[in-house]
Amino acid sequence: MNIRVKQHNLLKLLYNKYQSSDHSINKIADVDFATIYKQLDCTQPQYLLISPKLITEEEVDFSGNGMYITPKGIISYSDKKYVKEYRANLISRTKDYLGISLSIVAIMTGVITTTISIKNISSNNKQIERLNQKVYELEQRNKAQDSLLKYNKK
């Protein structure tokens, strides 16, 4: 249940009732609570999460039978105040998730790069050891040949 969307839908319900009424001074275009629960597809505890902000912002008020929309509520409904809040919240969450995801990808890339570098260094070290061994063997051969040349000159 998204509270902001439900708040907008409650304002819509009350506004539609207001529009369909005759707007006489003594008549309030109220909607009973049973209709509100049914139209919003919510229970009373869920309704108690939806309505407090609308009441404190003076966008709705209570009548003897239920609730009605106030002029502030009509402005909020026409400006789509709660839909905009929902979208802003959704965008903010998406940015947060993308930021976290990109950080994770960057860390994984760093780990993979480091692992590959370590493997390359290890491979290079093995090649260096083999080359050193060959150089040592060549030096030994060279010394042996030098010894033979010295022996033959004598």
Side-chain angles (χ1 to χ4, degrees):
M1 172 183 82
N2 189 301
I3 291 176
R4 297 290 179 241
V5 172
K6 295 276 186 178
Q7 287 170 330
H8 178 77
N9 290 339
L10 177 57
L11 287 176
K12 180 179 180 180
L13 174 67
L14 297 175
Y15 179 75
N16 288 341
K17 178 68 176 185
Y18 172 79
Q19 286 291 354
S20 65
S21 70
D22 61 5
H23 305 293
S24 67
I25 295 174
N26 294 332
K27 182 147 178 145
I28 295 176
D30 61 350
V31 177
D32 64 279
F33 291 109
T35 304
I36 291 172
Y37 299 152
K38 183 179 177 185
Q39 293 292 320
L40 294 181
D41 190 28
C42 68
T43 61
Q44 183 179 10
Q46 291 172 331
Y47 165 78
L48 294 175
L49 293 172
I50 297 167
S51 62
K53 184 169 183 181
L54 297 173
I55 294 166
T56 57
E57 296 286 328
E58 298 177 354
E59 295 168 338
V60 298
D61 206 353
F62 294 104
S63 66
N65 300 330
M67 297 184 87
Y68 64 94
I69 194 166
T70 65
K72 273 183 134 179
I74 293 170
I75 292 169
S76 293
Y77 171 69
S78 64
D79 288 343
K80 298 183 179 184
K81 174 183 175 182
Y82 295 104
V83 172
K84 289 177 182 175
E85 284 181 14
Y86 168 72
R87 288 181 183 155
N89 189 19
L90 188 63
I91 290 169
S92 176
R93 284 185 183 175
T94 303
K95 286 180 182 178
D96 291 343
Y97 291 136
L98 285 175
I100 291 169
S101 299
L102 290 176
S103 297
I104 290 171
V105 168
I107 289 169
M108 290 173 57
T109 303
V111 168
I112 290 169
T113 303
T114 304
T115 304
I116 291 171
S117 296
I118 290 171
K119 286 182 180 181
N120 287 340
I121 290 171
S122 176
S123 174
N124 289 343
N125 285 342
K126 288 179 184 177
Q127 288 176 353
I128 289 171
E129 286 177 27
R130 276 188 251 136
L131 289 174
N132 283 337
Q133 182 65 28
K134 286 182 181 180
V135 167
Y136 178 75
E137 289 172 4
L138 290 172
E139 286 175 348
Q140 294 302 320
R141 283 185 197 165
N142 194 17
K143 283 182 184 178
Q145 286 177 353
D146 283 346
S147 298
L148 277 174
L149 284 175
K150 284 182 185 177
Y151 181 74
N152 285 337
K153 284 185 179 180
K154 292 185 181 180

